[in-house]
Amino acid sequence: MTPKILIIGACGQIGSELTLALRSLYGNEQVIASDIRAGNEELMQSGSFEILDATDKTAIASCVRKHKITDVYLMAAMLSATAEKYPDKAWSLNMNSLFHVLDLAKDKEIQKIFWPSSIAVFGPTTPKQNTPQRTIMEPSTVYGISKLAGERWCEYYYKNYGVDVRSIRYPGLISWKTSPGGGTTDYAIEIYHKALQQGSYECFLNKDTRLPMMYMEDAIRATIAIMQAAEDTIRVRSSYNLAAISFDPEEITETIREHIPDFSISYAPDFRQKIADTWPHSIDDTNSREDWGWQPQYDLKTITADMLSNLESLV
Ligand code: AKB
């Protein structure tokens, strides 16, 4: 059966690309986009859109009933850097929205949920290299605490109420279509914009801050793949580790210099350095590969070439 999808947070960095990908896969009329405010032209014109506050349970429930929704992708969240500034708001948005959707599935109003987690669930005591699926998890950021709590609730709703919720721990995501907002890994997008606009970039992380990253195309493919996988192949019901590449600001700079030889970088680490220092350097995603066939396609060189040529064509 073709799913009838509601995307909550459809105008954000992941949501906007996911909406278009799902519309081209299932048909425009099958995918309802929603967000607290309107999005870009392509998203608004390619299918139905609803103004929806992810913390408003009644509004989500009536949207689900109105459109006879089967699957919800809950993409609304406050990311790591912003969440440190607004802990209460971050907790309220990240947790309440999840409960609203989990409860709709528990009450059989929807059939399937996608909910994104993050490498932020790991903390300073987690092994940093090739971080395993199951390991020490003591996140020290508001965002990380909310994502870890969310993961535990997803597993709880699956085990106790049979809720079919599926989740991925996204690494830092790199994209050119929609800007990210309030993340610690956002430097890896800003750097391309500044390289083209002014030939230089002041980085808010130190040059050797190695973090797991992924191109948006890969992240969208992973999201669709986990949702299309047969129910019994999804054996991790908290959230799956997911990996593609890892690099630091110095390495991304080198690949940019292959296209813009006199690009220069300077370093002025701010409060986001403290966040990045608690996160893994690389991720072991064996479970995703074995359970639902995950395989990334983009490496740092192909990401850089694609980012620069697409951003260049926009100006
Ligand atoms: C962030 O930097 O907060 C996000 C994430 C790693 O979840 N990109």
Side-chain angles (χ1 to χ4, degrees):
M1 196 192 83
T2 312
K4 188 80 191 272
I5 294 169
L6 172 65
I7 304 183
I8 302 176
C11 301
Q13 188 200 10
I14 310 173
S16 56
E17 297 203 30
L18 183 63
T19 302
L20 298 180
L22 289 170
R23 281 182 176 160
S24 77
L25 185 66
Y26 295 119
N28 289 349
E29 64 296 338
Q30 293 302 114
V31 181
I32 313 300
S34 76
D35 209 308
I36 193 116
R37 61 186 69 87
N40 65 44
E41 225 180 278
E42 199 181 1
L43 186 129
M44 300 300 291
Q45 285 177 2
S46 56
S48 297
F49 180 85
E50 299 273 357
I51 293 286
L52 193 59
D53 175 355
T55 62
D56 185 342
K57 188 177 184 179
T58 313
I60 297 174
S62 62
C63 186
V64 159
R65 284 174 208 139
K66 175 178 163 191
H67 294 283
K68 300 189 170 47
I69 297 297
T70 59
D71 298 7
V72 172
Y73 291 66
L74 174 56
M75 310 311 289
M78 195 181 287
L79 297 187
S80 57
T82 313
E84 289 306 294
K85 294 183 186 156
Y86 308 104
D88 301 5
K89 274 192 193 157
W91 183 257
S92 156
L93 170 62
N94 295 359
M95 298 311 299
N96 289 335
S97 58
L98 176 59
F99 278 121
H100 298 338
V101 172
L102 287 172
D103 283 332
L104 281 172
K106 180 185 164 199
D107 296 341
K108 310 279 180 238
E109 300 234 28
I110 53 173
Q111 290 166 19
K112 214 194 267 185
I113 300 168
F114 177 80
W115 176 76
S117 186
S118 160
I119 54 163
V121 292
F122 301 115
T125 52
T126 302
K128 283 202 180 299
Q129 310 299 342
N130 228 13
T131 301
Q133 175 69 40
R134 293 186 176 85
T135 185
I136 302 167
M137 296 168 89
E138 296 180 326
S140 55
T141 63
V142 174
Y143 175 62
I145 295 168
S146 74
K147 287 295 178 188
L148 181 55
E151 286 192 8
R152 302 321 308 150
W153 281 113
C154 287
E155 192 180 281
Y156 185 92
Y157 271 68
Y158 171 73
K159 285 191 171 155
N160 291 283
Y161 310 124
V163 167
D164 187 0
V165 52
R166 302 167 184 213
S167 177
I168 284 169
R169 291 173 181 152
Y170 288 125
L173 297 181
I174 302 171
S175 62
W176 57 272
K177 285 185 189 153
T178 311
S179 300
T184 302
T185 58
D186 294 2
Y187 92 86
I189 299 172
E190 280 176 20
I191 194 168
Y192 292 111
H193 287 265
K194 296 290 178 194
L196 286 168
Q197 286 162 11
Q198 56 195 46
S200 64
Y201 177 59
E202 186 179 88
C203 186
F204 58 75
L205 297 182
N206 274 323
K207 62 180 178 184
D208 55 358
T209 309
R210 198 170 179 75
L211 289 170
M213 299 275 187
M214 180 177 287
Y215 204 37
M216 186 60 83
E217 265 79 348
D218 273 341
I220 299 294
R221 263 194 323 105
T223 307
I224 293 174
I226 194 175
M227 285 298 272
Q228 286 187 331
E231 195 170 343
D232 59 352
T233 62
I234 305 300
R235 289 181 296 179
V236 174
R237 290 296 181 156
S238 49
S239 188
Y240 275 95
N241 274 9
L242 190 76
I245 49 169
S246 289
F247 59 79
D248 62 30
E250 223 170 21
E251 288 168 88
I252 192 171
T253 299
E254 283 316 310
T255 65
I256 292 174
R257 285 198 181 127
E258 288 169 19
H259 301 261
I260 306 171
D262 47 6
F263 171 62
S264 67
I265 185 158
S266 55
Y267 297 95
D270 65 14
F271 72 102
R272 290 168 279 193
Q273 183 66 48
K274 217 175 103 194
I275 301 175
D277 286 341
T278 70
W279 288 353
H281 295 167
S282 59
I283 299 286
D284 177 357
D285 63 356
T286 308
N287 290 82
S288 289
R289 290 172 191 250
E290 287 180 356
D291 290 0
W292 45 276
W294 165 241
Q295 191 69 52
Q297 285 175 357
Y298 284 82
D299 62 15
L300 182 54
K301 273 182 190 293
T302 48
I303 292 173
T304 296
D306 207 59
M307 282 294 285
L308 291 175
S309 73
N310 279 303
L311 288 176
E312 219 164 7
S313 70
L314 290 183
V315 285

